[in-house]
Amino acid sequence: YFLPKSMLITLPIFVIIAVAAGSFIYFANYKKFDWKIGALILFSSLFPFFFAILSNVPLYNGWRHFIFIYPGLVIMAGIGINEILNYLKKPAMQVAFGAICLLGMAKPIVWCIKNHPYEYCYFNEFAGGFKGAYTSYDTDYWEISITDGIEWLMKHENLGQSKDTVTLASNAFAVTKYYIARHYPKAKIKVVSSGLTGRNSLYWTYSIYNTLFVKPDYMENYFPPAQTIHSINIDDLPITAVVRDTARLDWKGLTALKNANHKLADSLYEAYMKTTKDNNAAIYAYISVAKASIGQNDEAIAAANKCMQFHFSTVLDYNCYCGLGIAYANKRQFDLSLANLQNADKIMPKERYAKDILKQVLAIRHQETGK
């Protein structure tokens, strides 16, 4: 039902009603019209529609690859409206009906003007408008708002004039890289691919993130990121966020963690969270390992559980399981420790970190319990 539902929630409701009414009027008056022309118009629109559903062809987001069926539907709507106007005859009645038609399209027209150039993000009342669709459907699926974010950066942060290379991260990597190469070929900007939730594990000083493919529960609670300096909005809801962080204490904390300098990692993460108020739950995977490694076990468990409720990625789950494994081992709850470490090893069997900790925990348990 993806294709019909996509059309039903993105076409103006007036158009849907007009198409249905026009088709009915056309065939109810088949003696007046050439029914073969009407049948041809509807066949050209409906056959591809039903063929796509019945044959299970791959469909891209929205119904953008089926726009070619829309003109036929609009023709039927136009015939219906024209017949109603002819039936009314009296100019006053015709003007009144025209006003009703205009009123029926007024809201979509005003919305498109207000939210230009994002007209293709329109959702009708069946979806609760754009606000109702915000966390339920792909909205800016072309990621056009990314280009507005880049332009804002160039104007307000002068990235195009930087003498040193600036690293710009984005979850819309292809769009970002292409647009900068095309419009700012001389700018010293290195574009790197970064998921929104994994932004703390990559080095960058500026980043641009779009809501496309972001999980609904994450969008509701954690978008835009805490360090957002500008956002591109539709109906006052952010669809692209421009983020700046030149200190990158979180990146320095991860570097310290990789070098097994756990106290430094913990202090860097503490400073980072205090200064930025970062609302990315994913960072707690690394905080969990740092806390557990310096014996702050309850904090480590709480941090891991905060991250694990989302299951952002295999890498983040792996670190959470390791953090839990270390924390429970410190608390001498060996069964829980081993279970979490085994989960880590199961999801990333090629990694050595969980395996090494697992061996240590088994040795400690055997030494203390004889098991």
Side-chain angles (χ1 to χ4, degrees):
Y1 59 85
F2 179 80
L3 182 57
K5 184 175 182 181
S6 296
M7 296 181 72
L8 282 172
I9 63 177
T10 56
L11 285 173
I13 292 177
F14 175 80
V15 173
I16 296 172
I17 295 171
V19 170
S23 301
F24 174 79
I25 290 170
Y26 190 95
F27 288 101
N29 296 275
Y30 68 93
K31 292 182 180 180
K32 178 180 178 181
F33 298 106
D34 187 344
W35 69 268
K36 295 187 290 296
I37 294 176
L40 179 62
I41 292 171
L42 285 180
F43 178 81
S44 66
S45 294
L46 299 181
F47 175 76
F49 177 88
F50 287 109
F51 180 81
I53 296 171
L54 296 174
S55 60
N56 292 315
V57 299
L59 298 174
Y60 291 81
N61 38 1
W63 54 283
R64 52 195 170 96
H65 283 191
F66 285 81
I67 290 177
F68 69 92
I69 73 175
Y70 191 51
L73 299 177
V74 172
I75 289 171
M76 298 307 295
I79 290 172
I81 291 172
N82 188 63
E83 283 302 301
I84 293 173
L85 284 170
N86 290 335
Y87 175 78
L88 293 173
K89 294 181 180 178
K90 291 183 179 180
M93 295 294 288
Q94 291 178 338
V95 170
F97 180 71
I100 291 172
C101 293
L102 185 60
L103 186 63
M105 284 299 296
K107 190 173 182 179
I109 291 171
V110 170
W111 191 94
C112 288
I113 293 172
K114 178 184 175 183
N115 293 287
H116 176 76
Y118 308 116
E119 293 90 340
Y120 74 101
C121 297
Y122 173 78
F123 285 85
N124 64 29
E125 288 77 8
F126 289 151
F130 184 84
K131 291 183 178 180
Y134 183 63
T135 58
S136 300
Y137 302 101
D138 289 336
T139 53
D140 181 22
Y141 59 76
W142 284 117
E143 298 175 305
I144 291 176
S145 57
I146 288 289
T147 63
D148 284 342
I150 295 171
E151 289 296 340
W152 188 92
L153 269 176
M154 293 300 180
K155 181 179 179 180
H156 293 85
E157 296 292 312
N158 296 317
L159 294 198
Q161 308 301 319
S162 177
K163 295 180 180 179
D164 299 319
T165 299
V166 176
T167 302
L168 175 65
S170 179
N171 61 349
F173 174 74
V175 174
T176 304
K177 186 174 183 180
Y178 173 82
Y179 190 84
I180 290 175
R182 180 70 181 271
H183 296 274
Y184 298 95
K186 295 182 180 180
K188 292 184 178 181
I189 299 175
K190 178 184 178 182
V191 182
V192 297
S193 179
S194 167
L196 175 63
T197 58
R199 63 184 184 271
N200 301 106
S201 60
L202 290 171
Y203 179 77
W204 50 265
T205 51
Y206 290 91
S207 56
I208 300 179
Y209 295 109
N210 187 269
T211 56
L212 190 64
F213 305 132
V214 178
K215 291 182 177 181
D217 52 355
Y218 188 87
M219 278 180 61
E220 287 183 305
N221 295 288
Y222 302 108
F223 194 87
Q227 298 136 294
T228 296
I229 55 175
H230 179 68
S231 65
I232 311 299
N233 300 339
I234 295 178
D235 277 2
D236 300 321
L237 293 171
I239 53 171
T240 282
V242 180
V243 182
R244 178 182 61 204
D245 184 356
T246 54
R248 291 312 308 275
L249 296 177
D250 56 334
W251 169 252
K252 293 173 182 177
L254 181 59
T255 302
L257 193 63
K258 289 179 178 178
N259 292 327
N261 194 338
H262 300 120
K263 287 185 177 180
L264 176 60
D266 180 64
S267 63
L268 286 167
Y269 279 129
E270 286 280 351
Y272 173 74
M273 296 303 287
K274 286 179 181 178
T275 56
T276 66
K277 303 289 191 296
D278 190 355
N279 57 357
N280 184 20
I283 195 174
Y284 288 98
Y286 304 114
I287 291 176
S288 174
V289 176
K291 292 288 185 185
S293 299
I294 62 172
Q296 295 183 14
N297 304 311
D298 291 335
E299 292 89 339
I301 293 168
N305 288 334
K306 186 169 184 176
C307 179
M308 285 287 284
Q309 65 180 314
F310 292 100
H311 293 290
F312 292 121
S313 69
T314 301
V315 172
L316 291 171
D317 280 359
Y318 181 86
N319 279 277
C320 286
Y321 283 130
C322 289
L324 289 169
I326 298 169
Y328 283 122
N330 291 340
K331 292 168 72 75
R332 293 309 188 256
Q333 298 179 28
F334 295 116
D335 289 342
L336 282 173
S337 173
L338 293 171
N340 280 286
L341 292 169
Q342 287 164 355
N343 283 335
D345 188 50
K346 188 182 297 182
I347 61 175
M348 295 187 71
K350 293 183 179 180
E351 292 294 319
R352 294 294 316 169
Y353 189 58
K355 287 182 172 65
D356 293 339
I357 301 172
L358 190 62
K359 289 179 181 178
Q360 295 176 40
V361 174
L362 286 170
I364 295 170
R365 186 182 70 169
H366 178 71
Q367 184 179 2
E368 294 190 6
T369 66
K371 294 183 180 179

